[in-house]
Amino acid sequence: MVLSESSLSLLGNISFSNFSLKNSYFLYSEASNALISSLTIDFIGQNIDLYGFFLCFDDSSLKIGEFIMSSQPKTLESLIKLEGSEFFLRDFSIFQEIYGNFIVFHRSKGIFLNSVNILTGIYIEESFLVISQSIIKNFLKSSAAFVSSRLYLLEVTMNNCDLSLILRDMIMIYIENTEFINNFDSFTIEIDNCNEILINNSIFSNNNSTHSGFLLEIHNSRQFFIRDSSFSNNSGFSSVIPY
Amino acid sequence: MSNLSSLITWCDFLQNSIIGNGSINIKVQQIFLMNNVFSLNSAIAGTSLYYFEFFNSSRSIFIYNNSFLNNIAQIEGGAIKYLMKRPNIDKSNVFYGNLASYGNNIASYPVRMTMVNESGIDLIVINTANITMEFIFLDLDNQFCSNYQGYFVFYMKLNLFFILIESCS
C-alpha cells in the first residue's frame, strides 16, 4: 500500500495474519497523513516471511490510537521507520524481542508515545521524543540509542530491564516523575555530550548494574540539574557519574 | 565546555552498595551539591563523593548544607574522598557516624611528610602538594651538611612521585 501526498484515515480495526513481505514495506507513506484508530497485528501463522519495514513514513504524520501486536517475526528489520515525520502512538503493547530495531526515527518532528508498554531496540536521531505515562519492563539485552534529539520521559516506570539507554549528542533530556526500579545487569543510562539535562522528582531504586558499570553516567555534558530525586538500594559502580 | 553550573539538590542517596568509588563521582566544570542526604552507603573509598581534579584545573565543586550520615568506606573517605584539588566543603554540611580506615569523614592524600624525633618534634618536613621540600641536614656539631642535600632531594622526589602515582591510581 503506497500513499503519496494523500490522507488516509482508517477508523476501524485492521488485523493482519498469515502474510508475507520481502524487502519492502507494508505501508509506505510520503507527505501524507495517516490516522489509524486501532491496529491489530498478529503474525502467527505459516507464511511469516518478513524483511524490511512494516510501516515506513516519509515527511508524513502517523497517528495510531491503539496498536496491539500480540507476536511478531524476529526477521523484521524494523517495525516502523519514520523519516521527517510526526508520530503519535498510544496504548501500544509488544511482548517479544525483534531482530532489528523496533522503531527507527530520523529527523522526526514529534514522537509522542503514551501508555506504551515496552521500549526496545529504538534508534532515534535528530528527533523529538516524548514518552509519558508508560511502563517499560522485562527488557533483556537490548539497547536504545538516541542521537541529536530531545527526549522527555514523563511519568514512566522502567523496571526489570537489562537495558542500556545511550543518550548521545542530545539537545535536551528531561526526566520527571519517572521511576527506574529493579533493573539489573547491563542496565545503565549513559549520557554523553548533551546540552541540557534535567532529572526531577524521580526514583532510582533497587537497580543492580554490576555488569555494565554505572547507573547514571553523565559526561561531557554542558549543564545538568538533578533535583528532588532518590537513589537508594542500588548496587554496582557509582550511582551518578558526571564527568 | 562552558562555565555553566550544574546542580544536584534535594536528593537522597541511601543504602547504595558501591563496588567502586562514590555515590557521586564528579568531573564537570562547576557543580553545586546542596541539601542532599547521603546515608548508609558503602564503597571502597568516598562513599558519597569521589572527586579527582588537578590543581590547576578550572573545574570546581561547591558542597553546601548536605548531610553525610553513617556511610562506610572499606579503605578511605567514609563520606568524601578527593585527590589533588580540594572541594569547597562548607561548614554547613553535617558529618555523623561515617567510618573508614583512613578519614572517617573526608580523605584526601598525603600533603606533608614529616620525620619526627622521639619527642614528636618535626625534623624534616616535606610538602608534597606542590612538590617542594624544605629540610636541612645537620651533623653532630650542628654544622650544615650541604654536600648531602642534592642526593637526598633527588631520592625523595623520586619516591614522592611514585607515592603520588600510587595514590592517584
Side-chain angles (χ1 to χ4, degrees), chain A residues 54-162:
Chain A
F54 186 67
L55 301 173
C56 185
F57 282 73
D58 196 352
D59 293 323
S60 299
S61 173
L62 170 63
K63 297 182 182 181
I64 301 177
E66 183 182 36
F67 194 163
I68 299 170
M69 195 170 185
S70 58
S71 63
Q72 61 283 325
K74 293 188 176 183
T75 54
L76 194 65
E77 183 174 338
S78 289
L79 180 68
I80 301 170
K81 182 184 180 187
L82 295 176
E83 179 94 15
S85 298
E86 195 175 45
F87 181 63
F88 297 84
L89 174 64
R90 68 174 177 85
D91 297 332
F92 176 76
S93 298
I94 190 168
F95 300 103
Q96 292 180 5
E97 285 187 85
I98 59 174
Y99 170 71
N101 291 311
F102 160 55
I103 302 177
V104 174
F105 297 111
H106 186 237
R107 291 191 301 101
S108 293
K109 296 164 189 167
I111 303 162
F112 301 90
L113 305 181
N114 185 258
S115 298
V116 296
N117 284 331
I118 198 165
L119 170 69
T120 183
I122 288 187
Y123 185 86
I124 293 178
E125 187 170 351
E126 297 178 42
S127 299
F128 182 98
L129 173 66
V130 179
I131 301 175
S132 58
Q133 297 178 329
S134 298
I135 298 171
I136 300 163
K137 61 183 180 181
N138 298 327
F139 274 9
L140 298 176
K141 302 194 184 307
S142 302
S143 65
F146 301 82
V147 179
S148 301
S149 303
R150 291 175 188 269
L151 171 66
Y152 291 79
L153 292 179
L154 308 171
E155 297 179 49
V156 172
T157 297
M158 183 178 289
N159 63 32
N160 203 25
C161 293
D162 180 8

Side-chain angles (χ1 to χ4, degrees), chain A residues 195 204 210 214-215 218-243, chain B residues 1-2 4-28 31 36 41 50:
Chain A
N195 194 45
F204 298 75
T210 51
F214 308 107
L215 177 59
I218 303 171
H219 40 91
N220 297 323
S221 292
R222 189 163 170 261
Q223 192 175 29
F224 69 88
F225 302 95
I226 302 176
R227 293 184 190 137
D228 299 305
S229 295
S230 176
F231 299 77
S232 63
N233 297 300
N234 301 295
S235 61
F237 294 97
S238 302
S239 296
V240 182
I241 311 281
Y243 66 87
Chain B
M1 188 73 75
S2 73
L4 292 173
S5 298
S6 294
L7 176 66
I8 299 177
T9 187
W10 297 110
C11 290
D12 297 330
F13 294 83
L14 309 174
Q15 293 185 304
N16 297 296
S17 302
I18 299 142
I19 295 171
N21 303 318
S23 292
I24 301 176
N25 192 333
I26 285 179
K27 203 171 186 69
V28 292
I31 183 168
N36 301 292
N41 300 293
Y50 188 87

Side-chain angles (χ1 to χ4, degrees), chain B residues 7 14 20 26 38 40 70 104 114-116 130-131 139 144-146 155:
Chain B
L7 176 66
L14 309 174
I26 285 179
F38 299 85
L40 296 166
N70 302 310
N104 284 336
T114 303
M115 180 182 288
V116 295
N130 52 13
I131 322 294
D139 64 12
F144 174 48
C145 304
S146 59
Y155 177 79

Side-chain angles (χ1 to χ4, degrees), chain A residues 224 240 242, chain B residues 4-8 24-34 36 38 48-54 57-64 66 68 79-90 93:
Chain A
F224 69 88
V240 182
Chain B
L4 292 173
S5 298
S6 294
L7 176 66
I8 299 177
I24 301 176
N25 192 333
I26 285 179
K27 203 171 186 69
V28 292
Q29 189 62 23
Q30 187 177 57
I31 183 168
F32 290 82
L33 264 62
M34 299 171 64
N36 301 292
F38 299 85
S48 305
L49 171 67
Y50 188 87
Y51 184 68
F52 177 19
E53 202 62 70
F54 290 107
S57 170
S58 60
R59 298 189 182 106
S60 54
I61 181 169
F62 299 89
I63 303 170
Y64 296 115
N66 300 281
F68 301 90
I80 296 172
K81 163 71 179 178
Y82 72 90
L83 287 167
M84 301 288 188
K85 189 173 183 177
R86 185 175 175 84
N88 297 285
I89 304 172
D90 190 74
N93 294 291

Side-chain angles (χ1 to χ4, degrees), chain B:
Chain B
M1 188 73 75
S2 73
N3 290 319
L4 292 173
S5 298
S6 294
L7 176 66
I8 299 177
T9 187
W10 297 110
C11 290
D12 297 330
F13 294 83
L14 309 174
Q15 293 185 304
N16 297 296
S17 302
I18 299 142
I19 295 171
N21 303 318
S23 292
I24 301 176
N25 192 333
I26 285 179
K27 203 171 186 69
V28 292
Q29 189 62 23
Q30 187 177 57
I31 183 168
F32 290 82
L33 264 62
M34 299 171 64
N35 307 316
N36 301 292
V37 175
F38 299 85
S39 181
L40 296 166
N41 300 293
S42 62
I44 294 173
T47 56
S48 305
L49 171 67
Y50 188 87
Y51 184 68
F52 177 19
E53 202 62 70
F54 290 107
F55 291 117
N56 59 357
S57 170
S58 60
R59 298 189 182 106
S60 54
I61 181 169
F62 299 89
I63 303 170
Y64 296 115
N65 204 34
N66 300 281
S67 295
F68 301 90
L69 312 172
N70 302 310
N71 300 289
I72 299 175
Q74 292 174 32
I75 298 177
E76 54 186 351
I80 296 172
K81 163 71 179 178
Y82 72 90
L83 287 167
M84 301 288 188
K85 189 173 183 177
R86 185 175 175 84
N88 297 285
I89 304 172
D90 190 74
K91 291 181 179 177
S92 59
N93 294 291
V94 174
F95 294 89
Y96 179 80
N98 303 298
L99 288 175
S101 297
Y102 152 58
N104 284 336
N105 294 324
I106 302 172
S108 53
Y109 55 93
V111 295
R112 203 176 68 152
M113 183 184 291
T114 303
M115 180 182 288
V116 295
N117 64 12
E118 293 170 347
S119 303
I121 297 171
D122 290 354
L123 294 177
I124 300 174
V125 177
I126 301 169
N127 185 351
T128 65
N130 52 13
I131 322 294
T132 59
M133 304 177 186
E134 299 171 10
F135 61 91
I136 58 172
F137 286 119
L138 302 175
D139 64 12
L140 289 174
D141 298 316
N142 216 25
Q143 298 177 101
F144 174 48
C145 304
S146 59
N147 54 327
Y148 283 92
Q149 186 173 4
Y151 169 78
F152 193 78
V153 166
F154 172 77
Y155 177 79
M156 289 305 296
K157 275 188 174 180
L158 198 64
N159 281 283
L160 279 171
F161 175 75
F162 285 114
I163 289 170
L164 285 172
I165 292 295
E166 185 74 20
S167 63
C168 292
S169 61

